[in-house]
């Protein structure tokens, strides 16, 4: 498949948008209800570590779709993990 560089970038931006926006409903529901009983601390910890590494990778190769999507997903996932950890302490 022969794609032009701008076409490849468009695919990257679309993928980044879809995977990030797919995470948004969970974040909104968690913030609104404060019901985090179904949230796994282990899974979210590993997920955040992986997203953080994707963010670093995107920064190293200077690819904005990776940087933007993973920065936003990192922030959303971290906020859910923090809510989960705070609810366990209380």
């Amino acid at each position: 498949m022969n794609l032009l560089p701008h076409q490849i970038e468009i695919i990257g931006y679309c993928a980044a948008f879809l995977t990030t926006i797919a995470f948004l409903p969970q974040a909104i529901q968690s913030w609104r209800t404060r019901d985090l009983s179904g949230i796994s601390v282990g899974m979210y910890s590993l997920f955040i570590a992986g997203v953080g590494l994707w963010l670093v990778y995107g920064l190293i190769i200077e690819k904005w779709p990776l940087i933007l999507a993973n920065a936003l997903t990192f922030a959303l996932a971290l906020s859910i993990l923090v809510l989960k950890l705070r609810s366990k302490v209380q």
Side-chain angles (χ1 to χ4, degrees):
M1 178 183 306
N2 289 335
L3 295 174
L4 298 173
H6 77 276
Q7 293 170 318
I8 295 169
E9 286 289 310
I10 289 170
I11 291 170
Y13 277 104
C14 289
F17 174 78
L18 291 172
T19 56
T20 301
I21 204 74
F23 198 79
L24 198 54
Q26 180 66 58
I28 292 170
Q29 181 178 357
S30 296
W31 295 331
R32 283 186 184 161
T33 66
R34 299 288 196 233
D35 177 13
L36 299 143
S37 59
I39 301 296
S40 165
V41 171
M43 179 273 186
Y44 267 78
S45 298
L46 291 172
F47 181 72
I48 290 168
V51 169
L53 290 174
W54 275 115
L55 175 57
V56 170
Y57 175 71
L59 290 166
I60 291 168
I61 66 170
E62 299 178 354
K63 293 296 180 185
W64 282 103
L66 285 174
I67 295 166
L68 295 174
N70 287 298
L72 182 54
T73 304
F74 185 87
L76 292 170
L78 184 61
S79 71
I80 292 171
L81 182 61
V82 168
L83 286 173
K84 174 70 173 183
L85 293 173
R86 283 185 183 167
S87 72
K88 282 184 132 186
V89 173
Q90 295 174 357

